[in-house]
């Protein structure tokens, strides 16, 4: 039976910590002009693809496609819609806002992309630094697409076999954080 006192002591020492793990940040304020007598959705999809490919380069990932809905009417200033980017079989949502009646748009991702193996490695270091002893963290494999503000869990294990759950919260601009859960 695991020593729950060690886990309890660990949990009581950590309430909430900033995350210093590799993740791909949401895009903020990317601008494009996509209109010459009506929306040029192909140009918008290409611009989004280029921006996301640049953002995901640190993970050695590329977007395979971006699909934006074709609106029945020409979009007007203030109109919004959501495009979907495919990243290794995962949907990444991109919010698009029409800035003016000339077709200028601003787009931002609604989701943060986590490489789960890299996330686990970063958390192992962060948690060990906080508790003062080595821990191994497992978040699974592959990518995790998390909406800003949402959470997911990983498991931590110390050398004595004591375990704890770590809750990771996706935040904007790389400010994601984690906490040990009771």
């Amino acid at each position: 039976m695991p020593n729950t006192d060690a886990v309890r002591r660990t949990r009581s020492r950590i309430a909430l910590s900033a995350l210093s793990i590799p993740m791909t940040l949401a895009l903020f304020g990317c601008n494009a002009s996509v209109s010459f007598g009506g929306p040029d959705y192909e140009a918008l999809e290409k611009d989004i693809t280029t921006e996301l490919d640049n953002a995901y380069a640190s993970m050695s990932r590329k977007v395979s496609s971006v699909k934006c809905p074709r609106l029945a009417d020409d979009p007007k200033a203030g109109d919004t819609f959501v495009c979907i980017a495919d990243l290794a079989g995962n949907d990444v949502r991109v919010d698009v806002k029409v800035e003016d009646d000339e077709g200028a748009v601003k787009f931002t991702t609604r989701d943060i992309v986590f490489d789960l193996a890299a996330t686990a490695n970063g958390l192992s270091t962060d948690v060990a630094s906080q508790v003062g002893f080595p821990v191994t963290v497992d978040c699974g494999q592959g990518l995790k697409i998390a909406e800003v503000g949402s959470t997911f869990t990983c498991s931590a294990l110390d050398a004595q076999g004591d375990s704890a759950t770590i809750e990771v919260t996706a935040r904007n601009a790389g400010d994601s954080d984690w906490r040990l859960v009771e």
Side-chain angles (χ1 to χ4, degrees):
M1 178 163 166
N3 179 354
T4 56
D5 287 339
V7 174
R8 221 176 275 119
R9 280 193 309 273
T10 299
R11 287 184 181 137
S12 66
R13 287 200 265 176
I14 301 174
L16 186 66
S17 296
L19 197 58
S20 64
I21 59 172
M23 73 189 97
T24 300
L25 308 178
L27 300 175
F28 297 99
C30 296
N31 294 302
S33 181
V34 298
S35 174
F36 296 106
D40 185 345
Y41 292 104
E42 289 179 10
L44 174 60
E45 291 166 347
K46 182 178 178 189
D47 287 347
I48 292 171
T49 298
T50 299
E51 291 295 327
L52 291 177
D53 283 348
N54 290 338
Y56 304 144
S58 65
M59 299 168 69
S60 301
R61 303 285 183 150
K62 286 191 174 264
V63 170
S64 61
S65 67
V66 173
K67 300 291 182 207
C68 296
R70 284 8 186 202
L71 304 177
D73 298 320
D74 284 347
K76 304 282 185 249
D79 287 349
T80 60
F81 55 95
V82 178
C83 299
I84 304 295
D86 182 302
L87 181 66
N90 298 281
D91 288 347
V92 177
R93 294 166 298 169
V94 180
D95 293 322
V96 179
K97 180 178 182 184
V98 179
E99 294 289 302
D100 60 34
D101 291 334
E102 310 305 309
V105 298
K106 182 177 183 178
F107 54 86
T108 59
T109 56
R110 187 183 295 181
D111 304 304
I112 306 286
V113 178
F114 292 85
D115 177 312
L116 292 176
T119 299
N121 287 336
L123 282 170
S124 292
T125 301
D126 284 359
V127 173
S129 170
Q130 292 289 325
V131 299
F133 53 85
V135 297
T136 302
V137 176
D138 181 9
C139 295
Q141 296 296 314
L143 299 178
K144 174 72 175 177
I145 312 301
E147 183 171 10
V148 172
S150 69
T151 61
F152 65 95
T153 59
C154 301
S155 58
L157 187 66
D158 69 12
Q160 287 71 43
D162 295 326
S163 64
T165 299
I166 299 173
E167 181 179 84
V168 178
T169 303
R171 304 269 188 228
N172 281 322
D175 293 332
S176 294
D177 50 52
W178 60 268
R179 69 183 183 98
L180 289 171
V181 181
E182 290 295 325

